[in-house]
Amino acid sequence: MIQSDKKLKELKAILSGAESPVIRAAIKSLRDEEPFEGAIGLLAGLYDVTEDISVQNAIRDFLNDLKDQSVSTEVIQEIRKPFRQETLSMLVSSCWQSRLDYSEFSDDIINTFLTSDYIVALECLTVIEESAFRLSREKKNEMIEYIGKYAGKFSSEKEDLTKELIYILR
């Protein structure tokens, strides 16, 4: 991932002031460029505030199709932010849909699982399931112990999801 203040400034200007077709075209053009720092943040921020479904779909499609492992850090940085649950769901979903390796961020995914609603937690479970084979037995045990501290603190459906997560980690 490169750092380009110029590209970031240009993208910010488009995302904050252009019409929907121009925004969608700009998002589509990002697929052909080398990833640059800050783009994921701008897209996540726009997704969180826009009511334009076509723009939301363009952002979702872009994030689901990420191919460069270097952007995973920025995706996780965005997941840590206090976005709406719908935005968090989209971001976490992009982790497993893109097929990038998020195993090094398992603690972040577990924290998001524990602090989010059922739908986001379900997406987190899928990310962990996809990367569990990359985690050491020690790390899995550590995660199981951490999750255990929250036992009994969720709705029944999220408790069931928590049990499933522990099963996956075992």
Side-chain angles (χ1 to χ4, degrees):
M1 183 173 350
I2 62 170
Q3 185 169 357
S4 175
D5 292 336
K6 180 183 176 191
K7 286 185 175 190
L8 191 60
K9 187 176 179 180
E10 289 171 357
L11 181 60
K12 187 175 185 175
I14 292 169
L15 297 181
S16 63
E19 298 284 327
S20 179
V22 175
I23 292 172
R24 291 192 316 268
I27 294 167
K28 187 175 180 182
S29 74
L30 290 173
R31 294 175 187 266
D32 301 325
E33 296 181 27
E34 185 175 352
F36 57 93
E37 200 171 309
I40 302 293
L42 289 177
L43 294 174
L46 176 59
Y47 187 95
D48 198 56
V49 299
T50 189
E51 294 181 16
D52 187 324
I53 304 246
S54 66
V55 170
Q56 286 181 338
N57 288 339
I59 293 168
R60 180 183 303 110
D61 292 346
F62 174 78
L63 292 175
N64 288 350
D65 197 34
L66 293 173
K67 300 295 182 218
D68 190 323
Q69 186 65 45
S70 69
V71 302
S72 60
T73 301
E74 192 168 345
V75 172
I76 293 298
Q77 288 171 347
E78 296 309 307
I79 288 171
R80 292 175 186 150
K81 292 182 179 176
F83 286 126
R84 295 179 303 122
Q85 294 296 294
E86 294 83 7
T87 304
L88 282 176
S89 178
M90 180 275 301
L91 287 165
V92 176
S93 174
S94 77
C95 294
W96 65 265
Q97 295 210 35
S98 68
R99 304 275 190 236
L100 295 178
D101 178 9
Y102 283 87
S103 58
E104 72 179 283
F105 303 105
S106 58
D107 290 338
D108 291 295
I109 300 299
I110 291 297
N111 281 326
T112 303
F113 176 94
L114 294 169
T115 59
S116 298
D117 69 11
Y118 178 82
I119 298 299
V120 175
L122 182 60
E123 297 294 352
C124 291
L125 179 129
T126 306
V127 175
I128 295 296
E129 185 175 37
E130 293 290 317
S131 62
F133 71 95
R134 293 182 181 103
L135 300 172
S136 69
R137 178 75 266 155
E138 182 181 350
K139 182 64 180 174
K140 290 177 186 177
N141 289 342
E142 183 182 298
M143 292 166 69
I144 291 168
E145 184 178 329
Y146 184 67
I147 294 165
K149 294 177 183 177
Y150 291 84
K153 296 183 180 179
F154 302 119
S155 66
S156 62
E157 64 180 8
K158 193 165 174 186
E159 278 295 328
D160 291 342
L161 204 57
T162 304
K163 289 175 187 172
E164 179 69 21
L165 178 59
I166 290 171
Y167 176 79
I168 289 167
L169 292 169
R170 288 206 167 127

